[in-house]
Every structure is written in structure tokens, then in C-alpha cells.
Amino acid sequence: MNLFDRYRLERLIILITTHSPQLHSMHQYKGPTLNDSDSTVLDQSYNDFVTHYINGESLSSEGRTLPVTNPATGKVIRQVMLADEKVVKRAVDAAHEAFQSWKDFTPTKRARVLFQFKQLLEDNADEITYLLTEEHGKTREDAKGELIRGIEVVEYACGIPELLKGEFTQHVGPKINSWSQFEPLGVVAGITPFNFPAMVPMWMYPIAIACGNTFVLKPSEVDPSAAKYCAELFYEAGLPKGVLNVVNGDKEAVDALLDDSRIKAVSFVGSTRVAQYIHQRASENHKRVQALGGAKNHALLMPDADIEQAVNATMGAAYGSCGERCMAISVVACVGEESTQKFIQGLQQAIDNLAIGNGMDDNVEMGPLVSATHREKVLNYIQYGIDEGAKLVVDGRGLSIEGLDNGYFLGPCLFDEVTPNMKIHQDEIFGPVLSIVRCDTQEAAMQLINEHPYGNGTCIFTRDGEAAQYFVENIKAGMVGVNVPLPVPAATHSFGGWKSSLFGDLYAYGPDAIRFYTRRKTITQRWPSGGIREAAQYAFPSENV
């Protein structure tokens, strides 16, 4: 029996123990009960529960649950158990105890576990991508790409024996040697969003654990299954008990993590509003924090750009994953009337040919939004754009997918004649809505980008090397592409934005993550030799004294 089969069997056991009168005393379940009005959203998997994963074992909790929905069908497929302060404490207890021994594992031993974990992720890729598509709605191909990018960070973490090498200087002073070493912090935590349920957690815990820390992960309660499944694979790879723990929950669980004094650092990816809250509360509790917030990523289309290539690149960047990416291109600042018209016409034609449907279908290019609530939010932004005077060139509202009438679908939307002060330009929409802003010059377009409160990612479409170089050197954003619409750094670099897109000093994954999850200790050492003792020195030590 493989891990995926055991995963399903475990849920069946939970179902039996929570609802069988004979076994009820073994597991007291106090979640919501069904009534007649619920029957329209039920399917055969309704009573399937996502538990916590603490100290290498599944742990059920009493009290609140939330439904997990398949966005393509609108049906509830399982319930996720929400952690209270006691459950979070139990996870931190396990991590705190495990740290005492895990920190003493050599980097090479840790790397061996990571190598095995990487292999298991690859071997179980189909199962992981199934869970991603089932709960998030993204296409299987998109889910596969997400997982691959997560595995690349695991692969980077496998080099931890090299990455943790300190610095050494012989004879930094008279018969004095000095070196630095990088030591783990202790228990660290990660709080991750719904849009990348596998990849974003892997930005955090593989590197943190490789550095010798132990980890408590709070994944999104919207699509929690992939995070737990990957944690189970990590333990199958040989991870000692308590090193990685997963607690499902909402703000109650988040606050418990932020307030626990044993947690030394917190990593977060999500909206700017929540990022600010986490940064402030965690900082007040003397924790190290990296909180990656929202984005409003602009592309700059120059008159000399390859229009066909720019259209193809923008389609994927704007409408891939239904626009639910923090690196999605949501605004194109266009310079030149003729090129702008050709670009808009190309987008219209491409949108007409976009295959939309259930992400499980291999022929589909864009799936649904993640939830009914989020779809309503995006619909409201579309109406804001209309009310403020923007021209809705392509209206994706009212899209109907045969057999999926209850799914959370919204077709691609394209606005023209958007101005900088409009709400659809100022706010992160996080949906399949693309805005065109017309600019007279490259400088005016760059000013538009630089004055925006977000500074996550941006790109320029051009054939002109001078224009590209000027853009790269003067644009105010953390990640910049030249003819690359989604300039997401490779795992050997680091990911992060500027301005209101990042709160904290260090980026995610790559070299910055090694620094974030360790603290430097510098040792300066001298041994007496030849029985010679120096006289007391009262001046501050220097090479001249």
C-alpha cells in the first residue's frame, strides 16, 4: 500500500471513529452537523477530514471545522479541522523537543534525508498534483509546474553542507584567528497562502530544517491536503519525529504561533494587510520575520516589442491559474498607439481561444477561482472598473461551463483606458482581470510603476537593449524581467519584492533563506605560546596597539 492509499485509508478510519456509535468514545468529534439544506452540496466524500500532523502522526482535534470545496464543482469534498491554542501548543512542544537532537545532526545527515524527500516528491507527483487541482482548481499542468518549482528549493537545500560553511581568517591579528559559523534558531514557523499549497511551504521548511531548525507549518485552510501529504512524505524519507509539524487553522492558530515565545522566526506569504499584521505582532514578540505581501505587477509594452510574443507571454502571466498568483501580470502599460491596438486585438483573439473548465481535464488551460467568496470579490472589482469609467473590452462574467454550473468560474476580463487612480489599478484583484494603461513615453510608464505602492515584480517587452537596460536600472521593484513576464527567481537566488510587497529584510528561499533561518556566531581565538604573557592593554585593541 503506497502513501496515497494510506492517506485515504486514514481518512476512512477517522470517518468511522467519528461517526460509529461503537467507537465514538475513542474520538469525540464536535464539528458541525448536517441538515436538510446542506444536502445540495454533498457528495460521497463529505465526511472526509483533514487532520493535523504533529510529531510524525495524524492528530484529530475537537471543535471547529471548515468545509474544503472542489472549486470546479462547488461541492464540499471534505472538512478541515481547525487548531485551537492547545493544538498549536502541542505542535510547538513537539518541535521544541525535537530541536534538542536535530540541531546536532551533521549537515550531511540532514542532506541525506532531504535527498530522499526529493525523490519521494518526484515519485508521488501525480498524487500531489491531484490534491492541488482538486482543492485549488488550477490545472494539472499548472499544479505540476508548482510542484517542480517547490522540488527545486528542496534540491537547493540538499546542498546544505556547502551552504552552511562559515568564514575563516588566519592571523586576523597577532597570533589571532577568527571565524564565523551559522547556527540554527530553534523552532520556526511558516504561514502560507491558498494559491500555492505545495510550493510556498517548500520555500520555507526544507531550508529551515536543513539549517538545523524544527518547523511548524500553518497552511491555508482553503486547500490543506497537499501540505499534509508532503509532510508525510518527509517523514517517510527518514525525518525524526517532531522536526516538521502541520497545524490547520485560521487566525486563532496564527495568533497562537505569533505569541509562543519558543518560536524564534516566522515566514509568511499572503496579502499585504495580513503581512503587516503578522510583521507587527511577531516583531513585538521579538521574533525574526519575513512577511511577503501583495502585488500589482506591471508589464511595460514598448512600440518595438514582438507583439505576438508579448500577447502569448501576457496571456499566461495574466490568466494562468485564473490570475491567482502574486507574480501575475495584472496591468500592461502600453507605449505607442499602433502597438497598443495590435496588442489588444491579439489578446482578444487569444482569449476567445482559451480553454476554460475543470483543471482535471488535460485540455483545459484555465480553471475556476478558488472559492465563491473570492469570485464575488473579483466580480465586485470588475464593477468598480466599469463604474469608474474603464472600458471593459472583454467581459468574462456569466461564463457557463457545461456540467459545472456550480463551479466558481469567471472568464478572462480585459479593461482598456484604465487610469492610475482607479481602484482596479490601485488594488490587487487576484483574479483573471487585466488592465491596459496607455502611456506616451517609457519614462511616463515607468513613473506609473514606480509610484505604485506595490513593488513585487515587473517586466518590459522590447527589442531595444538600451530601453531594457534603462528599465532594469531605474525601475522600483524586487523582481524584474526583460521579455520574461513572470521573473520568478530560480531556487539558487531569492524571491521578494519592494515597498508594500515585503515586510522584513530578507527574501524567501535561496541565499537569503540560509541567513534568515540561522544566526551568525563569530569566534576570535588566540592561544598563548612559548610561555609569553602580554601586559595589560587599556586602549581598544587594534592592529597598531
Side-chain angles (χ1 to χ4, degrees), residues 264-294:
K264 303 304 180 185
V266 176
S267 300
F268 170 81
V269 175
S271 70
T272 287
R273 179 182 61 83
V274 180
Q276 288 176 309
Y277 171 80
I278 285 176
H279 182 260
Q280 179 179 350
R281 186 157 179 165
S283 298
E284 288 173 352
N285 288 322
H286 311 293
K287 302 183 192 307
R288 186 178 293 184
V289 192
Q290 57 176 190
L292 282 68

Side-chain angles (χ1 to χ4, degrees), residues 169 172-173 175-180 521-526:
T169 302
V172 70
K175 299 181 181 179
I176 297 174
N177 298 332
S178 185
W179 71 91
S180 61
K521 180 182 288 183
T522 303
I523 299 93
T524 305
Q525 176 177 281
R526 176 175 62 184

Side-chain angles (χ1 to χ4, degrees), residues 52-283:
H52 316 290
Y53 201 67
I54 297 174
N55 211 27
E57 298 177 350
S58 294
L59 174 70
S60 302
S61 61
E62 299 178 349
R64 299 177 304 132
T65 67
L66 281 178
V68 178
T69 306
N70 183 328
T73 65
K75 292 182 178 181
V76 175
I77 52 177
R78 56 189 59 98
Q79 296 279 326
V80 58
M81 296 177 175
L82 301 181
D84 57 15
E85 188 175 351
K86 291 180 180 178
V87 173
V88 173
K89 181 179 182 302
R90 185 164 176 175
V92 179
D93 287 344
H96 181 70
E97 182 176 352
F99 175 68
Q100 309 311 315
S101 57
W102 180 247
K103 64 181 176 62
D104 293 329
F105 274 54
T106 65
T108 300
K109 286 185 177 181
R110 295 183 212 138
R112 288 171 184 158
V113 178
L114 284 157
F115 273 115
Q116 185 62 25
F117 178 46
K118 172 183 175 292
Q119 186 64 55
L120 288 172
L121 289 170
E122 293 170 344
D123 293 345
N124 292 273
D126 288 344
E127 289 81 1
I128 297 169
T129 55
Y130 177 89
L131 291 172
L132 293 173
T133 298
E134 182 186 35
E135 293 185 350
H136 176 272
K138 64 179 64 181
T139 66
R140 291 294 294 273
E141 190 67 20
D142 191 24
K144 181 181 178 181
E146 170 188 347
L147 179 61
I148 289 172
R149 292 304 296 262
I151 291 174
E152 288 174 358
V153 179
V154 177
E155 192 170 41
Y156 176 77
C158 288
I160 199 64
E162 178 70 21
L163 298 172
L164 279 183
K165 279 184 177 179
E167 303 151 344
F168 181 85
T169 302
Q170 187 177 20
H171 297 159
V172 70
K175 299 181 181 179
I176 297 174
N177 298 332
S178 185
W179 71 91
S180 61
Q181 56 197 43
F182 300 98
E183 299 184 357
L185 304 176
V187 182
V188 297
I191 302 163
T192 56
F194 71 78
N195 59 327
F196 289 105
M199 181 184 74
V200 172
M202 287 185 208
W203 285 3
M204 301 175 185
Y205 67 77
I207 296 179
I209 287 171
C211 289
N213 302 284
T214 54
F215 205 94
V216 180
L217 172 66
K218 206 296 290 181
S220 172
E221 65 275 19
V222 174
D223 40 19
S225 293
K228 184 190 175 190
Y229 185 67
C230 291
E232 291 176 331
L233 290 175
F234 211 162
Y235 276 95
E236 188 172 307
L239 195 68
K241 284 189 174 184
V243 174
L244 174 61
N245 307 274
V246 181
V247 292
N248 300 302
D250 52 13
K251 186 176 184 295
E252 183 176 348
V254 169
D255 286 346
L257 290 170
L258 299 179
D259 292 343
D260 194 309
S261 61
R262 295 169 297 174
I263 293 178
K264 303 304 180 185
V266 176
S267 300
F268 170 81
V269 175
S271 70
T272 287
R273 179 182 61 83
V274 180
Q276 288 176 309
Y277 171 80
I278 285 176
H279 182 260
Q280 179 179 350
R281 186 157 179 165
S283 298

